[in-house]
Amino acid sequence: MSFINYSSREISCKIVYYGPGLCGKTTNLVYIYKKINPNSKGKMISLATETERTLFFDFLPLALGSIKEFKIRFHLYTVPGQIFYDASRKLILRGVDGVIFVGDSQVERMEANLESMDNLRKNLKAQGLDLDEIPFVIQYNKQDLPNVVPIEELNRALNPRKVPSFDAVAASGQGVFDTLKEIAKIVIFELKKKS
């Protein structure tokens, strides 16, 4: 849930990038961090293993406009995709305002995508949240590779709710900001409904 700081007149919202290991969650955040105006961002914290895979989270405070004289600040997190880090994923999801599921479009990663989506649903439910009721978008990453599943098939398997979805090549930035802007728009819309 968003956090309101009345003294600094800021509303902080938490966006979590979720998906299987090596799907491109961290690549999304690194690209965003490089392209954002230095005055609009804080320090990015990345915890990685020797193989450079995210262990816990990346954190990117990002100021985006205002609502009723309150500045909106987005905190962007990724979760570790590896199966054995489930406790970390649960912890990072705590207080989430919106989720971006980053799917790996390669044929051989479909099972990992389905397992990760199921894991997301279970971990949200454990915190009293329902994936069908929170701001949620999907990004189909690695669309530049030759062995990708067609978008229609990805949508059938991963997007029965028909939430906004985006083709992406996070390494080159394709679709990265489209995905972020859409989740930010939905989260701000939900905030305005509640205010």
Side-chain angles (χ1 to χ4, degrees):
M1 294 296 127
S2 52
F3 173 75
I4 300 174
N5 184 331
Y6 288 95
S7 61
S8 65
R9 304 197 67 77
E10 279 188 359
I11 301 172
S12 295
C13 302
K14 184 177 189 178
I15 306 293
V16 174
Y17 285 75
Y18 210 96
L22 299 176
C23 66
K25 301 176 294 290
T26 299
T27 306
N28 268 270
L29 256 65
V30 168
Y31 185 83
I32 291 165
Y33 193 79
K34 284 181 182 171
K35 296 295 180 181
I36 292 275
N37 179 339
N39 297 326
S40 300
K41 64 185 179 186
K43 184 178 178 185
M44 184 164 75
I45 299 168
S46 180
L47 303 176
T49 66
E50 295 165 2
T51 56
E52 299 190 24
R53 298 177 76 180
T54 305
L55 265 178
F56 295 105
F57 62 86
D58 299 330
F59 178 69
L60 173 60
L62 179 64
L64 287 177
S66 63
I67 295 178
K68 295 184 179 177
E69 301 176 11
F70 282 82
K71 285 192 291 186
I72 308 294
R73 183 173 291 272
F74 284 92
H75 298 272
L76 308 180
Y77 291 78
T78 66
V79 297
Q82 301 94 325
I83 289 203
F84 43 88
Y85 289 120
D86 197 45
S88 299
R89 285 193 293 275
K90 286 178 184 170
L91 186 66
I92 292 167
L93 278 175
R94 192 174 295 163
V96 68
D97 293 295
V99 174
I100 295 172
F101 183 86
V102 181
D104 188 324
S105 301
Q106 298 176 90
V107 171
E108 64 270 22
R109 298 295 291 160
M110 272 306 287
E111 190 173 327
N113 288 329
L114 292 167
E115 284 175 6
S116 183
M117 184 68 81
D118 186 51
N119 180 261
L120 169 61
R121 200 172 280 282
K122 284 179 185 167
N123 284 343
L124 285 171
K125 190 174 183 181
Q127 297 185 44
L129 298 171
D130 185 342
L131 182 60
D132 295 333
E133 295 176 2
I134 66 169
F136 179 54
V137 301
I138 298 177
Q139 179 188 85
Y140 300 121
N141 193 27
K142 302 187 181 181
Q143 284 289 306
D144 58 328
L145 297 179
N147 57 337
V148 297
V149 177
I151 293 295
E152 300 77 29
E153 202 173 315
L154 286 165
N155 270 323
R156 251 193 318 275
L158 298 169
N159 193 9
R161 183 176 154 195
K162 297 184 178 13
V163 298
S165 63
F166 299 88
D167 307 353
V169 181
S172 69
Q174 179 189 328
V176 169
F177 278 100
D178 294 333
T179 309
L180 177 60
K181 285 176 187 171
E182 185 65 24
I183 195 71
K185 187 174 81 176
I186 297 169
V187 168
I188 289 172
F189 178 77
E190 290 298 320
L191 274 175
K192 285 181 176 174
K193 271 193 349 191
K194 292 176 188 170
S195 65

